Amino acid sequence: MPRRIEARGRVQRSAIGAAVVLFAGALSACGSTSSSGSTTASKPFTVNWAVNITSLDPAFTCPGDENSFASNFYGRLVKLSTNETSPGITQIDPDPSKVQPDFATKWDVSDEGKTYTFTLQSGKKFDNGDPLDAAAVKYSLDRTLKIGACGALSLQLGITQPPLITSVEAPNATTVVIHMRQAYPALLYSLAQSRGSIYNPKEIEAHGGVQANSPNQWLQSHTASSSGPYVLSEYVPGNHAVLTRNPNYYGTPALEPTVRVNFVTAVPTLQVQAQNREADVTLGLPPQVVKNLSTQACCKVITADSPTPVTVSMNYQGELTNNAKFREALTYAVPYTDIINKVAYGYGDSYYGPIVPGMAGYKASLEPARTYDLGKAKQLMAESGVNSPTLNLMINPTAPGVSDIATLLQSAWQQIGVTVNIDAKPPADFTTLFNQGKYQSALLFENSTPIGGYELRKKLTCDAPTNNQHICIPGTMPLLDQLNNTADPAAQQPIVDSLVQKWLENSPTIILYRAKFTAVVSPDVKHFAYAPNFRLADWGR
Amino acid sequence: MTESNASTMTIDAANAAPERDTLLDVRGLRTEFQTARGRVAAVRDVSFTIRRRQRLAIVGESGSGKSAMAMSIVGLIQPPGRVTAGEIRLGGTNLRELSDRKLSEVRGGRISLVFQDPMSAFDPIRTIGSQMIESIRVHQSVSKRMARRQAADLLGEVGVTDASSRLSDYPHQYSGGMRQRVLIAMALANSPELVIADEPTTALDVTTQAQVLELLDRLVTDRGAALMLITHNLGIVAGFCDSVKVMYAGQLIEESESRALFASAAHPYSRELLKCVLRTDRRQEGLLSTIPGTLPDPTQPFKGCSFEPRCPLGKGNPLCQGVEPPLATVQGPHGVQLAKCHFAGQLELKEDQ
Amino acid sequence: MLNLILKRFGVAAATILGASLFSFFLLRKLPGDPARLVGGELADEQTITSLRQAMGLDSPLQEQFWNYITSSFHGDLGFSYTIGQPVSELVRTRLPATVELGLTGVATAVVLATVFAAIAVYRKKKGADVSLRIASSLAMGSPPFWLALVAILLLSVNLGIFPGPEGRLSPSLLPPPTITGLYTVDSILSGQFGTFFDALRHLILPALTIAVGPFAFLSRLFRSQLRNTMREPFIVVARSRGLLRGSVFLRHAVPNSLLSLVAATAMLLAETMTGSVLVEKVFGWPGVGSLTVDAILQKDFAVVQGVILLSATLYVTVSFLADVVYVVVDPRIRAGAK
Amino acid sequence: MAVAVAEAPITVARRRIVKGDKVLVGALGGLALIALIVIVGPFVWHYDANATELTAQLSAPSAEHPLGTDNLGRDLLARVLTGARTSLGAGAVVVIAGAVLGSVTGLLAGALGGMVDTVLTWLTNSILCFPSIMLAMAVVMALKPGIPAVVIGLSIHSFPWYMRTIRGEVMRIAALDFVKSTNAIGASQGRILFRHIFPHLVSTIVLQMAAVFGAAVLSLAAMGFLGMGAQPPEAELGAMITEGQQFFLTGQWWMAAFPGLVLLIAVTLTTVIADRARELLDPRGEYIVAD
């Protein structure tokens, strides 16, 4: 009998084989879906965070989120006090006078307020066993000052020319003395923030040491041991980090033994994982997603007032934008409520002034919210003498919501005869052009510190590198000098008020709204704290 | 399309050969191609028989339908081609009624084919051995090892030296002549009753042609198979085949014993063909291109004789233009001949006019 | 033969050099200043100057290029200031993800394309062929990122069959020990079958999305190649030897036609490895593609430069490998190469 | 000889189109319809693509807004129409620019040979090392995000194919007798190129353009999706999918669905056309020869 090759059969069999493989895939998919839900007990506390971390070194890096993340690995001399706003949920109090002891058990201030002597806890160690002592504190502060840029600037609250801190001494293992050029109690606030972090000198010296005005490359993706509540046990930049509890931490141990932080910028991912309760905390969701999740059983939304205004910065010296009436006219032609309700989905509020509500120095009576008043806006336009102008609005469209707001402003300002040309720039160009002051107007999500004086100094000092709007109002410089030399907050207030007044008269910035901080947390999360630097150690189930 | 009055009488019938000797009996075979410009009949109502051990030559220009006829017989006419009518009887069975599976037992088993172009007749990425073994094992239930031994023997038989090691060689490692020998070996692997050789030597040089033909001759004789040699070269037919059928525009227009044909062809076309052979013998260039004119457009229906436009005798003749000639019997000096011509039997007369 | 190899090598090197040169000068013509980016919003001029020095931006362009070429020979591709890691390290951690996705995607495409094209050509009825042509035209015309979104909405959000767009593994699972860098392979090698299934589940949707384009392309190619092969004389010859249509199809037509897919598959592989940007972005896949997008928006030279170099090298290597495959698979070329 | 070969298939194709290849005629008709809608639509449809209307934020498709509205209350039909015009128009520019660039360089390389040829070949080899998207991204990085940069990048990526084909063809034809004889008569080189060589390649070039068009439109959309193509508030299909992505999972599927669907239909139609055209023009197509 001739032997035959069963060709047709073979084709069918292979097709069936392929189908079986696919089906098996689907089956296995179903199988593990059910199992993943039940393992919450052993699952690390998971934080999904819509951020790109470029550096872990608070001594150098500028962005608030990066400082926020990095601050979890380092202890500091002092800490901010907190208020419980609802059960398990706390918010910090930015008042420097309420600063609490942390690694320092106590401190003495000299009579003229220029010298701070801190007494430290003794016998403490970094997580790798190296001694955590006064020498490390001195090394850390010196390093931050030497590297310059954002670190030194923030540590000294903007007073860098000449520097506020003249020297740091460590006479013995438990004493640190900070000498300042002038009295400035707000220093305690910055020491409590990421800039006051304590690094392990040995680690840093072993990996490139300290170079003036340059970041340390190794420290961008590593930590210099850990003096803080958590140790960075795994870090994949742009992807995730695993934090484990530091057994040598001098303070209250972290709530969770292990925290996994996923850096996810894709909104759908964040949303799906929040819905599936795969993330315990989700940070940085766009407001409409937060709104959507707030109605679902998966999620609880925590909001907090944060110093994060959304503004249109006008170039004070730019053509057209140098016209104060024109700038003021624009402020009356913004549909504030629409923006807050339809773009911020209610997660925002209104005010108008240089100091964000809740900051040290803020006075509600001075900074009432602007109203939407087209009549007034048109009248101001007429007074300004500007005729059918075109305004170039620079935006970074990769930031969520920005292009929507820009589009709304375009339609809104059209009504008072202003043509808006939306100029979209990639993030890098946006930052460069903005910092160099090469723009006419720019839409941005600001992140300021809660120290009013510092913010005023940053924004109003003529020709300062931080003054990227080139604001220079006659008569403000003497006031700023006076503010710099006034240590007592109570004595500062009248000066602050006059500066605010000057700012308001000139309307250099259009403040669209203040974005609220939002975190979407799973119902399992029992403890959550909001602070400008997120303290993950205080978060837990 | 005009109905041809296909004669059911063949030369074999005319010669009254015993019925039991008939191997293949083709009746009224018609093969059509569906083309963009309409249906084209490549084989038009062809009938003939092959006896056991007979050697039959089918001669014709390229495009005359010879290959299509061969492929139709084994049911391998490729779409859009299709056999639309006729019977193909091998022994008692009509091959047209067989399933493809049954038919493929015939192909390479009882009927084998040897193709024109040995270059493209092999799968280029399989060894000669594997292709031979495959052919053997399709028809015989033998082990791989046995099949390989058989293949080596066959290769030796067709004159491939060091046969067993050359089984592992790929087709491109063989010369053209050798490939043709391998093809012949494969065709004979399963002891076929009929070998259809379609232009087996066209692609080869003259010396190799002779060797290959000689080989074919020997092997076919040894195995007692019948041979159907398809060629456009009448020159190689002489002395090799018993009888010759001349094909033109899909029809058989002359059927003769080869002695008879060479002595006196009964159809004007055959005569033209013969002239070409003679001229070639006189070392002139070109084989068949010297017959003036081309084949008729197959998409147009025939009226009258298909050869009329080129016929030195009938061109312009109203009879030839209007009436299709019947297959007429001619009693020549060397036996009975059949010719599809109005002037069959009177060619000499007409030529003299 | 040695000559040929050397020549090929020369062409490959010239091509990679050309690609680097092209990208280097294209990228260095940028308006933005990378030093200012690294320095951050509050950097003063002094910081900017010293940063420019540290980043090697103060030397002449041709010197920068020379430095770049020489150091890349030592595996130093520069430092990414926007991610805080050396580029070589980034590539090392990101490439396996892309390779796993690309390989799976292209392999799926090859399998589906060959199976469906083979069925379409083998079936005598027109239906299968028409369906294949419709499917491949649609596949050719569908924007992969959109398809990914739709797939996520339907299959993972609504039906929950597949995980959401969360990368390579459920966040609760630890990646398997690195052996090859491919999670599916590593998890099997280290016996973590739970991880394997999880990695597989995460891989299926992105890989299928990746496979759509190559499937369209390959199925067309394979279909027409098969049809041509089926018209080859040796196919009829094989039939005449008594093989059934199916046997001839599977044993002769398909293997011969597969040869034509090698080069195309190789090129597709190279293309998906570096061009899977969109799918990686949508699925949150931590590969080279998503790295590239961020780097371009952040004007991170070093990374873009590194990725381009990687891409060029991949292309050249893959086309070289395709040639090697031909030599191994196709006896005619193998004989020629000897 | 070569003239006859190059001309014949086009005639055949024309005849077949006239005779009615249903699929081809249907696809051509469909694409023409889309082109017409996209060109005329924005003038006819009473909504403006950029007019915001916050009270109508995120409305589902209805009689008033057949495709619904987006998160700023902009009419999606108006945006899709304008967006499709942008996408398809830019795709056409890419195709034409690539063909022109490739033809010029190909003619130069083929006719001049030597150093010019070597350099151009090296350049194109290097260009082909990148996927099209990556090249477009590099150009975007060097210039600025927006459709012009993407068009430049994609054009650069698409020209090597034309260049290679034309270069090869020029070299082949230049060796033919009739060109040599024309040369002897004293016709200038340029005349030979454009009068005698170029016409042979038209069908090949047109085919390639048809095939590239779909891919170019998709790449443009992809760049828009990545935020490197069209910039807000400009309507472009890819960018609109990104805008809709955030709302896709919160239930407002229409924002991302419709732009993608339009892309899918338009590109599929061009693919079908390119396919059929290739079959008609390819001498290896479905021609049947008896015997």
Coordinates of all heavy atoms in Angstrom, one line a residue, chain B residues 3-46:
Chain B
E3 N -18.1 23.4 -34.1 CA -18.0 22.0 -33.7 C -17.0 21.3 -34.6 O -17.2 21.4 -35.9 CB -19.4 21.4 -33.8 CG -20.1 21.3 -32.4 CD -19.3 20.7 -31.3 OE1 -18.8 19.6 -31.5 OE2 -19.2 21.3 -30.3
S4 N -16.0 20.7 -34.1 CA -15.1 19.9 -35.0 C -15.7 18.5 -35.2 O -16.2 17.9 -34.2 CB -13.7 19.9 -34.5 OG -13.5 18.7 -33.7
N5 N -15.6 18.0 -36.3 CA -16.1 16.7 -36.6 C -15.0 15.7 -36.2 O -14.4 15.1 -37.1 CB -16.6 16.5 -38.0 CG -15.5 17.0 -39.0 OD1 -14.6 17.7 -38.6 ND2 -15.7 16.6 -40.2
A6 N -14.6 15.6 -34.9 CA -13.5 14.8 -34.5 C -13.7 13.4 -34.9 O -14.8 12.8 -34.6 CB -13.3 14.9 -33.0
S7 N -12.8 12.8 -35.5 CA -12.9 11.4 -35.9 C -12.6 10.6 -34.7 O -11.7 10.8 -34.0 CB -11.9 11.2 -37.1 OG -11.7 9.8 -37.2
T8 N -13.4 9.6 -34.6 CA -13.1 8.6 -33.5 C -12.2 7.6 -34.0 O -11.6 6.8 -33.2 CB -14.4 7.9 -33.0 OG1 -15.1 7.5 -34.2 CG2 -15.3 8.9 -32.2
M9 N -11.9 7.6 -35.3 CA -11.0 6.6 -35.8 C -9.6 7.1 -35.6 O -9.3 8.2 -35.8 CB -11.3 6.4 -37.3 CG -10.5 5.3 -37.9 SD -11.0 5.1 -39.7 CE -10.2 6.5 -40.4
T10 N -8.7 6.2 -35.2 CA -7.3 6.5 -35.0 C -6.5 5.6 -35.9 O -7.0 4.6 -36.5 CB -6.8 6.3 -33.6 OG1 -6.9 5.0 -33.3 CG2 -7.7 7.1 -32.6
I11 N -5.3 6.0 -36.0 CA -4.4 5.2 -36.8 C -4.3 3.8 -36.3 O -4.1 2.9 -37.1 CB -3.0 5.9 -36.9 CG1 -2.1 5.1 -37.9 CG2 -2.3 5.9 -35.6 CD1 -1.7 5.9 -39.0
D12 N -4.4 3.7 -35.0 CA -4.2 2.4 -34.4 C -5.4 1.5 -34.8 O -5.3 0.3 -35.1 CB -4.2 2.5 -32.9 CG -3.1 3.5 -32.5 OD1 -1.9 3.3 -32.8 OD2 -3.6 4.6 -31.9
A13 N -6.6 2.2 -34.7 CA -7.8 1.5 -35.1 C -7.6 1.0 -36.6 O -8.0 -0.1 -37.0 CB -9.0 2.3 -34.9
A14 N -7.1 2.0 -37.3 CA -6.9 1.7 -38.7 C -6.0 0.5 -39.0 O -6.2 -0.3 -39.9 CB -6.4 2.9 -39.5
N15 N -5.0 0.5 -38.1 CA -4.0 -0.6 -38.3 C -4.5 -1.9 -37.6 O -3.8 -2.9 -37.5 CB -2.7 -0.3 -37.7 CG -1.9 0.7 -38.6 OD1 -2.4 0.9 -39.8 ND2 -0.9 1.4 -38.1
A16 N -5.7 -1.8 -37.0 CA -6.4 -2.9 -36.4 C -5.5 -3.6 -35.4 O -5.3 -4.8 -35.4 CB -6.9 -3.9 -37.4
A17 N -5.0 -2.9 -34.4 CA -4.1 -3.5 -33.3 C -5.0 -4.2 -32.3 O -6.2 -3.8 -32.1 CB -3.3 -2.4 -32.6
P18 N -4.5 -5.2 -31.7 CA -5.4 -6.0 -30.8 C -5.8 -5.1 -29.6 O -4.9 -4.3 -29.1 CB -4.5 -7.1 -30.3 CG -3.2 -7.0 -31.0 CD -3.2 -5.8 -31.9
E19 N -7.0 -5.1 -29.2 CA -7.6 -4.2 -28.1 C -6.8 -4.4 -26.8 O -6.6 -3.4 -26.1 CB -9.1 -4.5 -27.9 CG -9.8 -3.7 -26.9 CD -9.9 -2.2 -27.4 OE1 -9.9 -2.0 -28.7 OE2 -10.1 -1.3 -26.6
R20 N -6.5 -5.6 -26.4 CA -5.9 -5.8 -25.1 C -4.5 -5.2 -25.0 O -4.0 -5.0 -23.9 CB -5.8 -7.3 -24.8 CG -4.9 -8.1 -25.8 CD -4.9 -9.6 -25.6 NE -4.6 -10.3 -26.8 CZ -3.3 -10.4 -27.2 NH1 -2.3 -9.9 -26.5 NH2 -3.0 -11.1 -28.3
D21 N -3.9 -4.8 -26.1 CA -2.6 -4.2 -26.1 C -2.7 -2.7 -25.8 O -1.7 -2.1 -25.5 CB -2.0 -4.4 -27.5 CG -0.5 -4.9 -27.3 OD1 -0.2 -5.4 -26.2 OD2 0.2 -4.8 -28.2
T22 N -3.9 -2.1 -25.8 CA -4.0 -0.7 -25.6 C -3.7 -0.3 -24.2 O -4.2 -0.9 -23.2 CB -5.4 -0.2 -25.9 OG1 -5.7 -0.6 -27.3 CG2 -5.6 1.3 -25.8
L23 N -2.8 0.6 -24.0 CA -2.4 1.1 -22.7 C -3.2 2.3 -22.3 O -3.9 2.4 -21.3 CB -0.9 1.4 -22.6 CG -0.4 2.0 -21.3 CD1 -0.5 1.0 -20.2 CD2 1.1 2.4 -21.5
L24 N -3.1 3.3 -23.1 CA -3.8 4.6 -22.8 C -4.7 4.9 -24.0 O -4.3 4.8 -25.2 CB -2.8 5.7 -22.7 CG -3.4 7.1 -22.3 CD1 -3.8 7.1 -20.8 CD2 -2.3 8.2 -22.5
D25 N -5.9 5.3 -23.7 CA -6.9 5.6 -24.7 C -7.5 7.0 -24.4 O -8.2 7.1 -23.4 CB -8.0 4.5 -24.7 CG -8.9 4.7 -25.9 OD1 -8.6 5.5 -26.8 OD2 -9.9 3.9 -26.0
V26 N -7.2 7.9 -25.3 CA -7.7 9.3 -25.1 C -8.7 9.6 -26.1 O -8.5 9.3 -27.3 CB -6.5 10.3 -25.2 CG1 -7.1 11.7 -25.1 CG2 -5.5 10.1 -24.2
R27 N -9.9 10.0 -25.6 CA -11.0 10.3 -26.5 C -11.6 11.7 -26.3 O -12.0 12.0 -25.2 CB -12.2 9.3 -26.3 CG -11.8 7.9 -26.3 CD -12.5 7.1 -27.4 NE -11.6 6.0 -27.8 CZ -11.1 5.9 -29.0 NH1 -11.3 6.8 -29.9 NH2 -10.2 4.9 -29.2
G28 N -11.6 12.4 -27.4 CA -12.2 13.7 -27.4 C -11.7 14.7 -26.3 O -12.5 15.4 -25.7
L29 N -10.5 14.6 -26.0 CA -9.9 15.5 -25.0 C -9.9 17.0 -25.4 O -9.5 17.3 -26.4 CB -8.5 15.0 -24.7 CG -7.8 15.8 -23.6 CD1 -8.4 15.6 -22.2 CD2 -6.3 15.5 -23.6
R30 N -10.5 17.8 -24.4 CA -10.5 19.2 -24.7 C -10.1 19.9 -23.4 O -10.6 19.7 -22.3 CB -12.0 19.6 -25.1 CG -12.1 21.0 -25.5 CD -13.5 21.3 -25.9 NE -13.6 22.7 -26.4 CZ -13.4 23.1 -27.6 NH1 -13.0 22.2 -28.6 NH2 -13.5 24.4 -28.0
T31 N -9.1 20.8 -23.6 CA -8.6 21.6 -22.5 C -8.7 23.0 -22.8 O -8.3 23.5 -23.8 CB -7.2 21.2 -22.2 OG1 -7.1 19.8 -21.9 CG2 -6.6 21.9 -21.0
E32 N -9.3 23.8 -21.8 CA -9.5 25.2 -22.1 C -8.9 26.0 -21.0 O -8.8 25.6 -19.8 CB -11.0 25.5 -22.1 CG -11.7 24.9 -23.4 CD -13.2 25.2 -23.4 OE1 -13.7 25.6 -22.4 OE2 -13.8 25.0 -24.5
F33 N -8.5 27.2 -21.3 CA -8.0 28.2 -20.4 C -8.9 29.4 -20.3 O -9.3 29.9 -21.3 CB -6.6 28.6 -20.8 CG -5.5 27.6 -20.5 CD1 -5.3 26.5 -21.3 CD2 -4.7 27.8 -19.4 CE1 -4.3 25.6 -21.0 CE2 -3.7 26.8 -19.1 CZ -3.5 25.7 -19.9
Q34 N -9.1 29.8 -19.1 CA -9.9 31.0 -18.9 C -8.9 32.1 -18.8 O -8.1 32.2 -17.9 CB -10.7 30.9 -17.6 CG -11.7 32.0 -17.3 CD -12.8 32.0 -18.3 OE1 -13.4 30.9 -18.5 NE2 -13.1 33.1 -18.9
T35 N -9.0 33.0 -19.7 CA -8.0 34.2 -19.7 C -8.8 35.5 -19.6 O -10.0 35.5 -19.7 CB -7.2 34.2 -21.0 OG1 -8.0 34.7 -22.1 CG2 -6.6 32.9 -21.3
A36 N -8.1 36.5 -19.5 CA -8.7 37.8 -19.4 C -9.5 38.1 -20.7 O -10.4 38.9 -20.6 CB -7.6 38.9 -19.1
R37 N -9.0 37.5 -21.8 CA -9.7 37.8 -23.0 C -10.7 36.7 -23.5 O -11.0 36.6 -24.6 CB -8.6 38.1 -24.1 CG -7.9 39.4 -23.9 CD -6.9 39.7 -24.9 NE -5.8 38.7 -24.9 CZ -5.0 38.5 -25.9 NH1 -5.1 39.2 -27.0 NH2 -4.1 37.6 -25.8
G38 N -11.0 35.9 -22.5 CA -12.0 34.9 -22.9 C -11.4 33.5 -22.8 O -10.3 33.3 -22.4
R39 N -12.3 32.5 -23.1 CA -11.9 31.1 -23.0 C -11.0 30.7 -24.2 O -11.4 31.0 -25.4 CB -13.1 30.2 -22.9 CG -13.6 30.1 -21.5 CD -15.0 29.8 -21.4 NE -15.4 28.5 -22.0 CZ -15.8 27.5 -21.2 NH1 -15.9 27.6 -19.9 NH2 -16.1 26.4 -21.8
V40 N -10.0 30.0 -24.0 CA -9.1 29.6 -25.0 C -8.9 28.1 -25.0 O -8.6 27.5 -23.9 CB -7.7 30.2 -24.8 CG1 -6.7 29.6 -25.8 CG2 -7.8 31.7 -24.9
A41 N -9.2 27.4 -26.1 CA -9.0 26.0 -26.1 C -7.6 25.7 -26.5 O -7.1 26.0 -27.6 CB -10.0 25.3 -27.1
A42 N -6.8 25.1 -25.6 CA -5.4 24.7 -25.9 C -5.4 23.3 -26.5 O -4.5 23.1 -27.4 CB -4.6 24.8 -24.6
V43 N -6.3 22.4 -26.1 CA -6.3 21.1 -26.7 C -7.8 21.0 -27.2 O -8.7 21.2 -26.5 CB -6.0 20.0 -25.7 CG1 -6.1 18.6 -26.3 CG2 -4.6 20.2 -25.1
R44 N -7.9 20.6 -28.5 CA -9.2 20.7 -29.1 C -9.6 19.3 -29.6 O -9.2 18.9 -30.7 CB -9.2 21.6 -30.3 CG -8.9 23.1 -29.8 CD -8.2 23.9 -30.9 NE -8.9 23.9 -32.1 CZ -9.8 24.8 -32.4 NH1 -10.1 25.8 -31.5 NH2 -10.4 24.9 -33.5
D45 N -10.4 18.6 -28.8 CA -10.9 17.3 -29.2 C -9.9 16.3 -29.7 O -10.0 16.0 -30.9 CB -12.1 17.6 -30.2 CG -13.0 18.6 -29.7 OD1 -13.6 18.4 -28.6 OD2 -13.1 19.7 -30.3
V46 N -9.0 16.0 -28.9 CA -7.9 15.2 -29.4 C -8.2 13.7 -28.9 O -8.6 13.5 -27.8 CB -6.6 15.6 -28.7 CG1 -5.5 14.5 -28.9 CG2 -6.1 16.9 -29.4

